[in-house]
Amino acid sequence: MPSMFPGQDERDYPRSVITLTQIETFQALVEEGGVARAAERLGVGRSTVSAHVKLIADEIGHHHFRRHKAGQGSGQVVTDSGLDAYGRLGALLTQSRFCIDHFKSGNPRTPSFVTVQLPFGFPGAVFEQALDRTTRRLTGVCLLPSHAKGVPTDELGCAYLPWDADTGLVPDRWLLLRHGALQCAKGSAVRLADLAGLRLHAPRLPAALRGSLSTLAEQADATLDWTDGGLPELLPLIAQSPKAAAIVPAGLFNPALVDGLVTATLVESTHFDPAIAVGGLEFPEIARLLKEELQEVLGRRLAAPSERSPRTASADTLSLKYCRSFLVLYEEGNVGRAAQRLSIVQPALTVQLHRIEEEVDCSLFSRSHHGLSANERADVLYRLLRPLIASFNGTLRHLRASADKSTAPIRIGLMPALDDESLMSQGFAKALDRWSRRHVDDVLQVMEGYSGTLVRWLQNGAVDFALVDRVFTDADLILEPIVEDKMAVVVAEGSDLVAPGPVGLKQLAQLPLVLPSARHGLRTLLAQSLHRAGLTLQPRIEVDSMAGCLNMVKIARYATLLPMGSVYESRGRRGVSVHEIADPQIVRTICLARLRSKPCRDAETDFLAELRLAFAPPADRPVVPASRDFYGPARQFT
């Protein structure tokens, strides 16, 4: 399988803050057209809906919604970028649910995923329900929706055409939406004569329907106004005038968008009716089943236009985090190596494995002192989940690439700091404060991780730049040193482990040390420095958290090695003694890392300049330039 990102190990599975639960929330908001209605449908609070949708927008870099300009006070109008995300993320939900359902069915065959083209821009239409019903009639085949603005009828998919009784089309009807009750008998259709004098507002419809609708309006002596927006944008317009109405094919109508003040009634059948062609020369049997289900679902919509479609219970699925963890465990065959790849601690990954097996209702590995051995069920699950994660990564890349980069958040990777008194926290806070005063409309996202993880995020586009504590050579990256921080020995105040004053390297090897594990950048730096002196570092305890190391120092007779800038200012409050390492010194260099090929926006350039300024020595601060190509001297913390 080719690498999912250039320059990245093909076996790497980049993480994202987006979860399947958040995608479900996003889909609900698009279909319901309002936060309150989406919250009621999902059984969650409004703040949860808003938070989930904001996380997706920040991760992708799009604004997916805007408020109604009039009427429908709390409504949300989905933008074209939101409709694109709706279609692509919806396909991922469908695929994820199918994978677990197929796995639990015990079918050992690798399933097929077939794309079905659907009209673009109409969430809540009848097509997704017809696709779901068709998939349930198939064995080992999952139909994935792909919303397109133009659909060739020889591909597997559904496309709107003018009605023709001789072509095997699925008949649809025009639906009239008006504010208030229509002047016609209950259950009867609106006659063309009743449309006379009305101003009909049509949303952005498939191009093939524009001619027939124009002819219908002309025959009815009604005025027809076209819009490039969707149906939610028309609802405020029809509420403003008794002579205004919206018109749309019933199959594209979403009853969830209207309240009790809007009446939906079919227009009498004419030769100008819309119809649906179901094509699929390569998949004739699937096309036949899809047509049958579409006729069934659309028939119910025509019988009761205002009734919501019945919702089936969500199928079981596995979280994206667990999917990635399983893939890495399967490939590594060892919990320790898998934990290192995933940048998590081994006990946490072991817990995840137990939960994965509980959720799929079977054992996936046999355990031994040699590691993990995948069984046949694990082989089946791997063949299902690897394409799913590849699809997720591809979807995320597409949505990010299509984002308006001028409005996308700036994403920076940052190493965990000890607390707000550390050099890293103070410098970053100063830069952020000064930058945010000038860029009130720009958003900055901070993602924490160790240096190795940050470099991977930088390479796969998850962050725009990062602060790392490793100096290395990479042709694709620019590493700019911005501050140097001396390493120091930290012991409890009054401890007899070390004498007052600096500590030599040889003395380090004799101390009872608690240190970060090998995946931590600090540990790598220490090991390299001691190796050059012919010494070996053998800690008694490994704790990745700097705060955890300090706690062990304070409650037991241990020493730890930390950057002086992290702990020196707070040594009195913490009750610890800090001793600089000498003969020779060990210096941690903090570098600003970014891709050489990625241009910087103005807001990014300004933030980089503020970072340099925040970490620069006082004497240098007035002359630090804002150029993105500046490589000034690194500040040394003393």
Side-chain angles (χ1 to χ4, degrees):
M1 182 178 177
S3 175
M4 290 175 285
F5 295 99
Q8 179 187 337
D9 187 330
E10 66 173 10
R11 300 189 311 148
D12 208 3
Y13 301 103
R15 284 181 291 182
S16 166
V17 299
I18 297 178
T19 66
L20 294 176
T21 300
Q22 292 162 1
I23 293 176
E24 288 180 318
T25 303
F26 177 84
Q27 301 298 98
L29 181 57
V30 173
E31 293 174 2
E32 298 294 332
V35 172
R37 292 193 294 271
E40 182 180 1
R41 167 175 153 182
L42 297 170
V44 299
R46 299 183 187 185
S47 60
T48 299
V49 173
S50 299
H52 285 186
V53 172
K54 183 179 184 301
L55 280 170
I56 290 180
D58 289 344
E59 175 83 354
I60 294 173
H62 274 302
H63 295 298
H64 295 123
F65 300 92
R66 60 179 183 275
R67 290 192 177 275
H68 284 294
K69 296 180 180 178
Q72 305 281 322
S74 61
Q76 301 283 330
V77 176
V78 62
T79 63
D80 277 359
S81 62
L83 290 172
D84 185 33
Y86 170 84
R88 296 176 184 277
L89 294 176
L92 285 174
L93 270 182
T94 299
Q95 185 176 354
S96 66
R97 290 166 178 163
F98 176 85
C99 285
I100 299 303
D101 187 56
H102 180 82
F103 179 80
K104 289 185 176 182
S105 72
N107 189 336
R109 295 182 56 187
T110 301
S112 301
F113 295 92
V114 180
T115 299
V116 181
Q117 301 291 328
L118 302 178
F120 176 84
F122 294 91
V126 299
F127 298 101
E128 280 87 353
Q129 189 179 358
L131 250 63
D132 181 65
R133 289 168 59 99
T134 306
T135 295
R136 294 179 185 275
R137 293 178 62 180
L138 299 168
T139 301
V141 178
C142 177
L143 302 183
L144 298 176
S146 176
H147 298 265
K149 296 182 180 179
V151 184
T153 55
D154 59 345
E155 294 184 12
L156 182 61
C158 303
Y160 266 94
L161 297 173
W163 168 247
D164 186 337
D166 298 325
T167 55
L169 302 178
V170 178
D172 199 352
R173 294 273 293 278
W174 290 109
L175 192 65
L176 193 71
L177 304 176
R178 292 194 67 178
H179 195 266
L182 292 177
Q183 301 301 316
C184 61
K186 184 177 181 181
S188 62
V190 178
R191 298 175 305 166
L192 286 188
D194 296 331
L195 302 181
L198 289 181
R199 180 173 291 275
L200 301 179
H201 297 274
R204 178 176 51 197
L205 296 176
L209 296 182
R210 296 179 69 92
S212 57
L213 182 56
S214 296
T215 305
L216 182 145
E218 184 179 349
Q219 292 283 331
D221 196 21
T223 303
L224 181 61
D225 289 341
W226 295 96
T227 179
D228 288 332
L231 183 59
E233 295 173 89
L234 299 183
L235 298 180
L237 295 177
I238 67 175
Q240 295 173 3
S241 170
K243 287 292 186 180
I247 191 166
V248 65
L252 296 179
F253 173 59
N254 177 11
L257 294 177
V258 300
D259 53 29
L261 299 177
V262 174
T263 305
T265 309
L266 294 175
V267 178
E268 67 175 323
S269 183
T270 68
H271 294 298
F272 314 118
D273 283 347
I276 304 169
V278 180
L281 296 179
E282 294 185 13
F283 306 95
E285 180 61 17
I286 295 179
R288 182 186 66 81
L289 294 176
L290 180 58
K291 182 178 178 180
E292 291 179 0
E293 294 298 338
L294 184 59
Q295 288 174 321
E296 174 69 22
V297 175
L298 183 55
R300 290 202 301 269
R301 175 65 57 85
L302 294 175
S306 297
E307 289 187 7
R308 294 191 177 205
S309 300
R311 296 197 172 276
T312 56
S314 296
D316 292 337
T317 187
L318 199 62
S319 72
L320 294 173
K321 178 178 74 173
Y322 284 177
C323 290
R324 296 186 187 96
S325 296
F326 167 76
L327 294 177
V328 175
L329 282 165
Y330 182 93
E331 291 169 352
E332 293 294 338
N334 180 278
V335 176
R337 291 196 300 269
Q340 188 171 3
R341 265 182 68 183
L342 292 166
S343 299
I344 62 177
V345 295
Q346 185 171 327
L349 184 56
T350 301
V351 171
Q352 285 189 27
L353 175 56
H354 289 313
R355 290 179 178 173
I356 291 169
E357 292 182 326
E358 288 176 359
E359 293 195 20
V360 299
D361 297 328
C362 70
S363 176
L364 299 169
F365 300 94
S366 58
R367 282 82 163 170
S368 71
H369 63 279
H370 295 296
L372 301 175
S373 179
N375 58 31
E376 291 183 356
R377 298 298 289 152
D379 296 338
V380 173
L381 188 60
Y382 182 79
R383 291 195 297 268
L384 286 166
L385 295 187
R386 183 163 182 176
L388 171 64
I389 295 300
S391 296
F392 177 81
N393 293 333
T395 296
L396 207 56
R397 287 203 311 275
H398 170 87
L399 294 176
R400 284 172 175 167
S402 62
D404 178 2
K405 294 304 180 183
S406 64
T407 62
I410 300 172
R411 299 162 301 173
I412 179 171
L414 191 65
M415 296 174 296
L418 180 59
D419 57 20
D420 58 0
E421 295 181 77
S422 67
L423 172 67
M424 178 67 69
S425 293
Q426 290 184 356
F428 188 82
K430 289 177 182 177
L432 180 58
D433 177 60
R434 290 173 58 89
W435 175 84
S436 61
R437 293 173 188 269
R438 300 196 311 275
H439 296 270
V440 294
D441 294 326
D442 290 292
V443 176
L444 187 76
Q445 279 185 339
V446 180
M447 299 170 62
E448 283 196 349
Y450 297 118
S451 289
T453 302
L454 295 179
V455 170
R456 290 198 299 274
W457 287 350
L458 192 64
Q459 291 169 336
N460 66 39
V463 296
D464 298 306
F465 50 93
L467 289 173
V468 300
D469 60 359
R470 295 183 183 179
V471 181
F472 57 94
T473 301
D474 189 317
D476 296 327
L477 297 180
I478 295 175
L479 272 79
E480 173 188 343
I482 62 170
V483 63
E484 291 181 348
D485 196 356
K486 296 177 182 177
M487 297 298 295
V489 177
V490 181
V491 296
E493 191 173 26
S495 171
D496 60 353
L497 286 175
V498 295
V503 177
L505 283 185
K506 292 183 178 180
Q507 200 175 346
L508 294 183
Q510 302 170 2
L511 292 174
L513 293 173
V514 52
L515 294 175
S517 67
R519 68 188 183 92
H520 199 294
L522 288 179
R523 180 67 175 276
T524 303
L525 171 65
L526 295 169
Q528 290 173 345
S529 299
L530 269 72
H531 179 73
R532 286 192 292 268
L535 301 171
T536 301
L537 201 58
Q538 293 182 333
R540 300 275 184 87
I541 300 176
E542 292 186 347
V543 180
D544 280 343
S545 164
M546 288 191 288
C549 291
L550 273 182
N551 286 334
M552 293 301 300
V553 164
K554 290 190 292 183
I555 67 175
R557 197 170 181 273
Y558 290 105
T560 189
L561 307 180
L562 294 175
M564 187 174 289
S566 297
V567 71
Y568 189 79
E569 296 293 334
S570 59
R571 65 190 187 282
R573 174 176 60 83
R574 295 183 182 280
V576 296
S577 177
V578 181
H579 302 259
E580 180 182 334
I581 298 173
D583 190 28
Q585 291 181 340
I586 301 178
V587 178
R588 179 175 78 153
T589 302
I590 307 298
C591 295
L592 179 62
R594 54 193 174 89
L595 285 174
R596 190 177 299 276
S597 60
K598 182 185 179 299
C600 286
R601 292 177 281 157
D602 291 342
E604 291 177 341
T605 300
D606 286 349
F607 189 75
L608 298 185
E610 291 296 347
L611 277 176
R612 300 182 184 108
L613 186 63
F615 288 109
D620 294 345
R621 290 179 185 172
V623 295
V624 173
S627 168
R628 67 185 66 173
D629 297 321
F630 170 68
Y631 295 92
R635 172 191 176 190
Q636 187 174 71
F637 179 86
T638 57

